[in-house]
Amino acid sequence: MPSSQDLVLDPSAVASAVGRFVQALGARAADRLEATLFAQGGVARLFSLEDAVARAWPGDVAKELVWSREDLHGRGPELRFRAFDADGALLAQESYAVGALKSAEPARG
């Protein structure tokens, strides 16, 4: 079984997680969206999330994107969403694993 050090952020998994949250939210009109990416590495990781969220929620939905390097107790990269209505009531909340196994580096000889 792979450890958390064997996992890296998978951009296609980020896009998939955004799509799954859109489905979980359904027809409920979100006024504000929070997306927290728990992953190690460079800020470029947050840009893939920003792009996917902007495509899924264009327009007037307020978006708060957070990049956290918090230890997830051995789990790999994770993406957490919360959506709120105009009165601040929680509409939906979901978490998704967005890690992929690191590719093996070629042996140097």
Side-chain angles (χ1 to χ4, degrees):
M1 185 158 112
S3 72
S4 62
Q5 285 97 9
D6 296 327
L7 296 171
V8 294
L9 183 73
D10 178 359
S12 65
V14 170
S16 175
V18 170
R20 289 170 51 202
F21 189 67
V22 167
Q23 290 178 338
L25 189 56
R28 295 173 285 182
D31 186 65
R32 183 170 59 93
L33 174 75
E34 292 177 1
T36 304
L37 177 61
F38 293 86
Q40 301 296 318
V43 74
R45 296 167 187 248
L46 191 58
F47 295 147
S48 66
L49 172 60
E50 181 179 36
D51 181 58
V53 166
R55 290 174 192 265
W57 288 280
D60 294 339
V61 176
K63 301 162 192 82
E64 180 180 343
L65 307 178
V66 178
W67 174 35
S68 175
R69 297 179 62 164
E70 176 184 331
D71 180 16
L72 293 176
H73 307 290
R75 297 191 317 268
E78 183 174 298
L79 184 52
R80 295 182 189 165
F81 291 103
R82 296 187 332 157
F84 301 88
D85 68 12
D87 294 326
L90 182 65
L91 297 174
Q93 175 174 289
E94 300 283 332
S95 294
Y96 304 98
V98 289
L101 288 175
K102 290 180 187 174
S103 59
E105 293 188 33
R108 298 182 190 232

